[in-house]
Amino acid sequence: MRQTSILTLCLLILASCSSKDEDVVATVYGHKLKRSEVAAIVPSGASTEDSMAITSQYIEQWIDQMVIISKAEKNVRQDFSKQMEHYRNSLLVHAYEQQILAQNIDTTVSDNEIAEYYDSHPNDFLLASPIVKMVYVKIRKETPQKIRQRITSLMTTSNISDESIVKIQQAASPYSIEISMSYDQWMPLGDLRNKIPDIAFSNPSYLRYHNFMQQEDSTGVSLINLIDHKITNERAPLEVERDNIKAIIINHRRVEFIKRMRQDI
């Protein structure tokens, strides 16, 4: 019965959602839900079916909440006026400070500032898990032996360059299952482990002494040139932490500005 009533309300609301009428569509213990409040939660362009579902759920949740609130009002004698005033004041102050910050804080952070912060906080950027730079190619098993040897020769070089990357892509593309050329970007070791799961990556010394890895499975041959790596608890490279450090510096500016502003009031 309650569900039917709610659906009926939904139909009435949807039928007049463009109206400016402030009719009350539900009342629970003196708490009133207006048609405009319900219509406002329906996204523009939503289908009738989706609108019905959203509206029905909202009304049902509102009714449940109002029942609980009404029971709480009858049974709880505690006065919350001071807490409510404190909460209101906190919201007001926060909104004011955010407005002032938006108008006054310089969000430009130079490369020198980032480098200085990184250098002066050597223990703040330790890796929680290993990261790697690598070139990864997986080719089909039926790749001609001559082509496979060519790709392997290019992949085993100790000096991966833009030119060699182009050559690897040209040689591997016609036979590739997957190619990942993240030689200039750090990525989680887990991504590498997923590609060749049988390699003993848990041993840090393995990464130190194995810059080229090859593994064959039922689908093809995986070739990896491990260009660089950092292990757990080693300091993260600056390029990995650049955005994080920028956010820290800007936040420090915000904190200092708020502190000065409060002192000057």
mmCIF file of all heavy atoms in Angstrom, residues 64-87:
data_model
loop_
_atom_site.group_PDB
_atom_site.id
_atom_site.type_symbol
_atom_site.label_atom_id
_atom_site.label_comp_id
_atom_site.label_asym_id
_atom_site.label_seq_id
_atom_site.Cartn_x
_atom_site.Cartn_y
_atom_site.Cartn_z
ATOM 1 N N ASP A 64 11.050 7.664 5.638
ATOM 2 C CA ASP A 64 11.728 6.914 6.708
ATOM 3 C C ASP A 64 12.499 7.853 7.630
ATOM 4 O O ASP A 64 12.471 7.707 8.860
ATOM 5 C CB ASP A 64 12.687 5.889 6.098
ATOM 6 C CG ASP A 64 11.957 4.735 5.422
ATOM 7 O OD1 ASP A 64 10.770 4.516 5.742
ATOM 8 O OD2 ASP A 64 12.575 4.052 4.582
ATOM 9 N N GLN A 65 13.190 8.823 7.029
ATOM 10 C CA GLN A 65 13.980 9.754 7.830
ATOM 11 C C GLN A 65 13.094 10.624 8.710
ATOM 12 O O GLN A 65 13.401 10.853 9.887
ATOM 13 C CB GLN A 65 14.829 10.630 6.907
ATOM 14 C CG GLN A 65 15.785 11.553 7.673
ATOM 15 C CD GLN A 65 16.619 12.405 6.748
ATOM 16 O OE1 GLN A 65 16.136 12.885 5.725
ATOM 17 N NE2 GLN A 65 17.880 12.595 7.100
ATOM 18 N N MET A 66 11.980 11.096 8.168
ATOM 19 C CA MET A 66 11.088 11.948 8.948
ATOM 20 C C MET A 66 10.433 11.185 10.103
ATOM 21 O O MET A 66 10.206 11.743 11.177
ATOM 22 C CB MET A 66 10.005 12.547 8.041
ATOM 23 C CG MET A 66 10.508 13.563 7.030
ATOM 24 S SD MET A 66 11.461 14.935 7.773
ATOM 25 C CE MET A 66 13.131 14.467 7.284
ATOM 26 N N VAL A 67 10.134 9.907 9.881
ATOM 27 C CA VAL A 67 9.574 9.084 10.965
ATOM 28 C C VAL A 67 10.573 8.970 12.105
ATOM 29 O O VAL A 67 10.229 9.138 13.291
ATOM 30 C CB VAL A 67 9.177 7.689 10.432
ATOM 31 C CG1 VAL A 67 8.837 6.753 11.600
ATOM 32 C CG2 VAL A 67 7.987 7.792 9.493
ATOM 33 N N ILE A 68 11.844 8.695 11.736
ATOM 34 C CA ILE A 68 12.885 8.558 12.758
ATOM 35 C C ILE A 68 13.118 9.885 13.470
ATOM 36 O O ILE A 68 13.246 9.935 14.705
ATOM 37 C CB ILE A 68 14.196 8.056 12.111
ATOM 38 C CG1 ILE A 68 14.007 6.633 11.586
ATOM 39 C CG2 ILE A 68 15.340 8.094 13.123
ATOM 40 C CD1 ILE A 68 15.176 6.111 10.787
ATOM 41 N N ILE A 69 13.160 10.980 12.716
ATOM 42 C CA ILE A 69 13.367 12.299 13.315
ATOM 43 C C ILE A 69 12.225 12.645 14.274
ATOM 44 O O ILE A 69 12.460 13.151 15.379
ATOM 45 C CB ILE A 69 13.494 13.375 12.218
ATOM 46 C CG1 ILE A 69 14.823 13.216 11.479
ATOM 47 C CG2 ILE A 69 13.390 14.782 12.815
ATOM 48 C CD1 ILE A 69 14.986 14.141 10.286
ATOM 49 N N SER A 70 11.025 12.353 13.869
ATOM 50 C CA SER A 70 9.867 12.659 14.726
ATOM 51 C C SER A 70 9.909 11.865 16.020
ATOM 52 O O SER A 70 9.624 12.393 17.096
ATOM 53 C CB SER A 70 8.568 12.374 13.963
ATOM 54 O OG SER A 70 8.458 13.227 12.844
ATOM 55 N N LYS A 71 10.259 10.591 15.917
ATOM 56 C CA LYS A 71 10.375 9.779 17.125
ATOM 57 C C LYS A 71 11.497 10.282 18.025
ATOM 58 O O LYS A 71 11.376 10.296 19.254
ATOM 59 C CB LYS A 71 10.613 8.319 16.745
ATOM 60 C CG LYS A 71 9.394 7.646 16.137
ATOM 61 C CD LYS A 71 9.665 6.173 15.870
ATOM 62 C CE LYS A 71 8.399 5.494 15.328
ATOM 63 N NZ LYS A 71 8.626 4.051 15.063
ATOM 64 N N ALA A 72 12.604 10.702 17.391
ATOM 65 C CA ALA A 72 13.729 11.232 18.171
ATOM 66 C C ALA A 72 13.339 12.526 18.877
ATOM 67 O O ALA A 72 13.699 12.749 20.038
ATOM 68 C CB ALA A 72 14.925 11.472 17.253
ATOM 69 N N GLU A 73 12.587 13.377 18.190
ATOM 70 C CA GLU A 73 12.154 14.646 18.785
ATOM 71 C C GLU A 73 11.262 14.419 20.012
ATOM 72 O O GLU A 73 11.294 15.187 20.971
ATOM 73 C CB GLU A 73 11.410 15.482 17.743
ATOM 74 C CG GLU A 73 12.314 16.057 16.666
ATOM 75 C CD GLU A 73 11.540 16.754 15.557
ATOM 76 O OE1 GLU A 73 10.329 16.483 15.396
ATOM 77 O OE2 GLU A 73 12.157 17.586 14.849
ATOM 78 N N LYS A 74 10.469 13.353 19.978
ATOM 79 C CA LYS A 74 9.569 13.058 21.093
ATOM 80 C C LYS A 74 10.292 12.417 22.274
ATOM 81 O O LYS A 74 9.877 12.570 23.430
ATOM 82 C CB LYS A 74 8.447 12.120 20.621
ATOM 83 C CG LYS A 74 7.465 12.779 19.673
ATOM 84 C CD LYS A 74 6.389 11.778 19.238
ATOM 85 C CE LYS A 74 5.396 12.421 18.289
ATOM 86 N NZ LYS A 74 4.355 11.459 17.838
ATOM 87 N N ASN A 75 11.360 11.686 21.993
ATOM 88 C CA ASN A 75 11.991 10.888 23.044
ATOM 89 C C ASN A 75 13.319 11.433 23.549
ATOM 90 O O ASN A 75 13.778 11.030 24.621
ATOM 91 C CB ASN A 75 12.206 9.460 22.532
ATOM 92 C CG ASN A 75 10.908 8.711 22.328
ATOM 93 O OD1 ASN A 75 10.311 8.200 23.273
ATOM 94 N ND2 ASN A 75 10.442 8.657 21.082
ATOM 95 N N VAL A 76 13.939 12.306 22.790
ATOM 96 C CA VAL A 76 15.228 12.858 23.212
ATOM 97 C C VAL A 76 15.000 14.264 23.747
ATOM 98 O O VAL A 76 14.484 15.133 23.035
ATOM 99 C CB VAL A 76 16.235 12.884 22.037
ATOM 100 C CG1 VAL A 76 17.545 13.533 22.494
ATOM 101 C CG2 VAL A 76 16.483 11.477 21.518
ATOM 102 N N ARG A 77 15.395 14.496 24.982
ATOM 103 C CA ARG A 77 15.159 15.788 25.632
ATOM 104 C C ARG A 77 16.394 16.694 25.610
ATOM 105 O O ARG A 77 16.357 17.801 26.117
ATOM 106 C CB ARG A 77 14.735 15.569 27.094
ATOM 107 C CG ARG A 77 13.486 14.703 27.248
ATOM 108 C CD ARG A 77 12.325 15.276 26.470
ATOM 109 N NE ARG A 77 11.123 14.445 26.532
ATOM 110 C CZ ARG A 77 10.041 14.637 25.793
ATOM 111 N NH1 ARG A 77 10.034 15.638 24.928
ATOM 112 N NH2 ARG A 77 8.999 13.840 25.902
ATOM 113 N N GLN A 78 17.450 16.220 25.036
ATOM 114 C CA GLN A 78 18.692 16.996 25.023
ATOM 115 C C GLN A 78 18.559 18.219 24.121
ATOM 116 O O GLN A 78 17.972 18.154 23.042
ATOM 117 C CB GLN A 78 19.851 16.116 24.528
ATOM 118 C CG GLN A 78 21.219 16.786 24.618
ATOM 119 C CD GLN A 78 22.335 15.820 24.229
ATOM 120 O OE1 GLN A 78 22.100 14.612 24.116
ATOM 121 N NE2 GLN A 78 23.525 16.339 24.041
ATOM 122 N N ASP A 79 19.116 19.330 24.580
ATOM 123 C CA ASP A 79 19.070 20.578 23.822
ATOM 124 C C ASP A 79 20.311 20.671 22.932
ATOM 125 O O ASP A 79 21.439 20.695 23.425
ATOM 126 C CB ASP A 79 19.021 21.769 24.777
ATOM 127 C CG ASP A 79 18.917 23.101 24.029
ATOM 128 O OD1 ASP A 79 18.745 23.075 22.793
ATOM 129 O OD2 ASP A 79 19.021 24.151 24.679
ATOM 130 N N PHE A 80 20.086 20.714 21.611
ATOM 131 C CA PHE A 80 21.201 20.754 20.667
ATOM 132 C C PHE A 80 21.436 22.157 20.098
ATOM 133 O O PHE A 80 22.192 22.319 19.145
ATOM 134 C CB PHE A 80 20.936 19.796 19.497
ATOM 135 C CG PHE A 80 20.959 18.349 19.885
ATOM 136 C CD1 PHE A 80 19.770 17.655 20.059
ATOM 137 C CD2 PHE A 80 22.156 17.681 20.076
ATOM 138 C CE1 PHE A 80 19.787 16.312 20.408
ATOM 139 C CE2 PHE A 80 22.173 16.353 20.438
ATOM 140 C CZ PHE A 80 20.991 15.656 20.604
ATOM 141 N N SER A 81 20.796 23.143 20.668
ATOM 142 C CA SER A 81 20.880 24.478 20.086
ATOM 143 C C SER A 81 22.316 25.014 20.054
ATOM 144 O O SER A 81 22.734 25.643 19.068
ATOM 145 C CB SER A 81 19.969 25.449 20.851
ATOM 146 O OG SER A 81 20.318 25.477 22.227
ATOM 147 N N LYS A 82 23.091 24.755 21.118
ATOM 148 C CA LYS A 82 24.470 25.247 21.161
ATOM 149 C C LYS A 82 25.319 24.542 20.109
ATOM 150 O O LYS A 82 26.123 25.172 19.416
ATOM 151 C CB LYS A 82 25.059 25.044 22.551
ATOM 152 C CG LYS A 82 24.468 25.962 23.616
ATOM 153 C CD LYS A 82 25.173 25.785 24.952
ATOM 154 C CE LYS A 82 24.586 26.738 25.994
ATOM 155 N NZ LYS A 82 25.252 26.582 27.317
ATOM 156 N N GLN A 83 25.148 23.205 20.018
ATOM 157 C CA GLN A 83 25.914 22.460 19.016
ATOM 158 C C GLN A 83 25.556 22.892 17.610
ATOM 159 O O GLN A 83 26.423 23.014 16.743
ATOM 160 C CB GLN A 83 25.661 20.950 19.166
ATOM 161 C CG GLN A 83 26.226 20.346 20.450
ATOM 162 C CD GLN A 83 25.183 20.270 21.542
ATOM 163 O OE1 GLN A 83 24.386 21.215 21.694
ATOM 164 N NE2 GLN A 83 25.181 19.192 22.297
ATOM 165 N N MET A 84 24.267 23.149 17.379
ATOM 166 C CA MET A 84 23.823 23.571 16.049
ATOM 167 C C MET A 84 24.378 24.942 15.703
ATOM 168 O O MET A 84 24.778 25.208 14.565
ATOM 169 C CB MET A 84 22.293 23.582 16.001
ATOM 170 C CG MET A 84 21.686 22.181 16.065
ATOM 171 S SD MET A 84 19.893 22.190 16.194
ATOM 172 C CE MET A 84 19.433 22.881 14.609
ATOM 173 N N GLU A 85 24.402 25.819 16.695
ATOM 174 C CA GLU A 85 24.961 27.150 16.475
ATOM 175 C C GLU A 85 26.455 27.061 16.200
ATOM 176 O O GLU A 85 26.985 27.758 15.318
ATOM 177 C CB GLU A 85 24.694 28.033 17.700
ATOM 178 C CG GLU A 85 25.206 29.461 17.571
ATOM 179 C CD GLU A 85 24.483 30.263 16.492
ATOM 180 O OE1 GLU A 85 23.368 29.847 16.083
ATOM 181 O OE2 GLU A 85 25.022 31.294 16.062
ATOM 182 N N HIS A 86 27.142 26.189 16.945
ATOM 183 C CA HIS A 86 28.583 25.998 16.738
ATOM 184 C C HIS A 86 28.849 25.440 15.334
ATOM 185 O O HIS A 86 29.772 25.893 14.636
ATOM 186 C CB HIS A 86 29.138 25.041 17.791
ATOM 187 C CG HIS A 86 30.589 24.708 17.596
ATOM 188 N ND1 HIS A 86 31.602 25.602 17.865
ATOM 189 C CD2 HIS A 86 31.192 23.573 17.130
ATOM 190 C CE1 HIS A 86 32.769 25.042 17.590
ATOM 191 N NE2 HIS A 86 32.539 23.811 17.138
ATOM 192 N N TYR A 87 28.030 24.479 14.921
ATOM 193 C CA TYR A 87 28.192 23.874 13.603
ATOM 194 C C TYR A 87 27.936 24.910 12.504
ATOM 195 O O TYR A 87 28.674 24.988 11.525
ATOM 196 C CB TYR A 87 27.237 22.694 13.453
ATOM 197 C CG TYR A 87 27.361 21.963 12.137
ATOM 198 C CD1 TYR A 87 28.573 21.377 11.749
ATOM 199 C CD2 TYR A 87 26.267 21.864 11.274
ATOM 200 C CE1 TYR A 87 28.686 20.709 10.548
ATOM 201 C CE2 TYR A 87 26.380 21.200 10.062
ATOM 202 C CZ TYR A 87 27.585 20.620 9.709
ATOM 203 O OH TYR A 87 27.695 19.960 8.505
#
